[in-house]
Amino acid sequence: MNTANGRAPIDFWFDFSSPYSYIASEWVDALAARHGRTVRWHAMLLGATFQAAELKSPVSYPLKREYSMRDFARSARFEGVPYTMPEPFPIPTQNAARVFWWLHDTQGHDAAVAWAHAGLRAYFARGVALNDTAALKRLAADSGLDAQAAEAAWGDAHWKARLKQVNDEAIAAGIFGAPWFVVDGEPFWGNDRKPQIERWLASGPF
């Protein structure tokens, strides 16, 4: 898939429970558009990549937790993105991710991205617990989806396998964190890579 000008899309890998993914999700499409690019979104589970890389969430380390929580909020303020530290955090988000791939494969990329925005904003701006199935169904309905169909999708073996396939692809590609961007084959990890991505898009490899 190429854009009209022949430039490859940016691949954006994210997790619904990642604060930095949420922040990056609010700027990645606009950044790409400024440079004549599109974005391919990929919902994944950080837990799967952490396990493969023998890593843990930074908030699971007492020494890192306080700084990480401060940086999540500061990074959101820096980007001008609404943010309220959700509780509980982190949470398992496989159901939200399965709904993403259900929408992606049945209704198209734009529908999946709209759901990604809805889920990320609900969790990180309003504290909607995406691991609560009742709350997730309400969010699906509020987002204009058929809530019963969404619930059926996240419990369906096909969409469970689809998400596992994506997680396996992420691990095979060497992805160990989120957000993760691939621009012209070059990987960038983290919301704070934005200036480097912008320079790459503006003037090419460096």
Side-chain angles (χ1 to χ4, degrees), residues 77-123:
R77 291 195 305 270
F78 185 75
E79 285 293 338
V81 173
Y83 181 84
T84 300
M85 187 66 215
E87 184 60 43
F89 172 84
I91 58 173
T93 56
Q94 68 274 12
N95 289 340
R98 290 168 187 158
V99 171
F100 174 92
W101 288 109
W102 165 62
L103 290 170
H104 181 278
D105 292 358
T106 63
Q107 298 185 30
H109 185 261
D110 290 349
V113 171
W115 169 249
H117 279 305
L120 289 163
R121 290 168 181 168
Y123 184 48

Side-chain angles (χ1 to χ4, degrees), residues 56-70 72:
K56 293 192 292 185
S57 166
V59 299
S60 66
Y61 300 94
L63 192 63
K64 290 183 175 181
R65 183 176 176 86
E66 184 178 348
Y67 175 82
S68 296
M69 303 289 254
R70 176 183 290 267
F72 298 155

Side-chain angles (χ1 to χ4, degrees), residues 93-175:
T93 56
Q94 68 274 12
N95 289 340
R98 290 168 187 158
V99 171
F100 174 92
W101 288 109
W102 165 62
L103 290 170
H104 181 278
D105 292 358
T106 63
Q107 298 185 30
H109 185 261
D110 290 349
V113 171
W115 169 249
H117 279 305
L120 289 163
R121 290 168 181 168
Y123 184 48
F124 289 108
R126 306 198 310 277
V128 176
L130 303 182
N131 60 324
D132 181 305
T133 55
L136 194 62
K137 278 187 73 174
R138 286 194 299 271
L139 179 63
D142 291 345
S143 302
L145 302 180
D146 180 330
Q148 293 297 121
E151 182 180 36
W154 77 58
D156 190 299
H158 175 80
W159 303 111
K160 291 180 180 181
R162 179 71 165 101
L163 179 57
K164 185 181 184 305
Q165 173 196 1
V166 172
N167 291 333
D168 290 344
E169 289 171 356
I171 293 165
I175 295 171

Side-chain angles (χ1 to χ4, degrees), residues 33-65:
R34 287 199 297 272
H35 298 279
R37 305 284 186 117
T38 57
V39 181
R40 285 187 298 216
W41 291 49
H42 307 262
M44 66 173 189
L45 299 181
L46 271 177
T49 64
F50 283 168
Q51 185 175 15
E54 299 181 5
L55 296 170
K56 293 192 292 185
S57 166
V59 299
S60 66
Y61 300 94
L63 192 63
K64 290 183 175 181
R65 183 176 176 86

